[in-house]
Amino acid sequence: MSPFYLATARGLTLVRLVSIPLFLFLLVQTSRAGPQHWRMSLLLLYVCIALSDFLDGWLARKAGAPSHVWGQIDATADIAFTSLSLATAAWLGRVGPWVPAGVAVLGGRFLLRNLRHQPTLQGRLVEDRAGKAAGVIYYLLVGAVAIEVSVAGEGGRWCIARAGDAVFLYTLFLLLRRRKGRPSPSDP
């Protein structure tokens, strides 16, 4: 069963990477009052992408084969998805352009730090809890944008914009803080 879990985990990561352009297309088209089935497709694709992010790590651990390289690919998929989705949201006027810029800079710093460090504890990436929380927050913000665009309500735009500002402030805090000690290994 282990090879099956490992192949499935890697497949989910690759599918998530490949699905980014479709998600961005649906986000733009839905914001332009696209058909109802596009709205539902956007939300369904978001849920599938978010679930794949959870499941690929779980399956890799279950297979007992976390990999530094695949951890990097997984993190790259997450950073690409959130930063490109939030850049599209900025282009659509949902969040400020500083939000995706902060996500991309923090994500790039994370990837570079893990390229320089040798794999630790079964090949896991080096990440701290605050950084892990940032990734979850970015996914939640993308989900909020997808929901707001899908329901086509103007009332949510202000809330999404302010949530984007709060997310940027958290990102800025992470970029400017001085860490004490070394971050702990994360899940693949």
Side-chain angles (χ1 to χ4, degrees):
M1 247 353 223
S2 181
F4 172 75
Y5 289 144
L6 191 57
T8 303
R10 291 177 177 175
L12 285 171
T13 300
L14 293 175
V15 166
R16 187 165 68 253
L17 256 175
V18 171
S19 68
I20 293 170
L22 176 60
F23 182 83
L24 300 178
F25 171 80
L26 288 171
L27 189 61
V28 170
Q29 294 305 318
T30 300
S31 74
R32 295 180 177 164
Q36 183 64 29
H37 66 277
W38 281 6
R39 296 173 190 280
M40 293 309 298
S41 297
L42 173 68
L43 294 175
L44 182 62
L45 184 56
Y46 171 77
V47 168
C48 289
I49 288 171
L51 281 175
S52 78
D53 183 36
F54 169 76
L55 288 174
D56 65 357
W58 180 76
L59 288 169
R61 285 187 301 280
K62 191 166 176 80
S67 161
H68 187 74
V69 171
W70 278 97
Q72 286 279 63
I73 294 169
D74 179 60
T76 300
D78 295 340
I79 293 163
F81 173 68
T82 56
S83 61
L84 291 171
S85 296
L86 293 172
T88 302
W91 181 67
L92 295 171
R94 295 323 202 257
V95 297
W98 46 88
V99 178
V103 172
V105 169
L106 185 64
R109 187 173 83 175
F110 170 75
L111 291 174
L112 287 173
R113 180 181 28 182
N114 276 286
L115 280 176
R116 287 192 310 256
H117 286 96
Q118 291 297 317
T120 60
L121 196 63
Q122 301 173 346
R124 293 184 176 177
L125 302 180
V126 176
E127 182 176 36
D128 62 2
R129 289 182 188 198
K132 190 79 166 170
V136 171
I137 291 167
Y138 300 153
Y139 260 92
L140 292 174
L141 182 57
V142 170
V145 169
I147 290 169
E148 189 271 329
V149 164
S150 294
V151 298
E154 290 297 317
R157 278 183 114 159
W158 184 87
C159 292
I160 296 296
R162 298 305 64 83
D165 293 342
V167 164
F168 174 72
L169 290 175
Y170 181 68
T171 302
L172 189 60
F173 164 75
L174 292 179
L175 287 168
L176 297 176
R177 74 185 169 137
R178 298 245 188 250
R179 276 192 311 271
K180 295 178 183 173
R182 188 164 186 226
S184 62
S186 72
D187 298 327

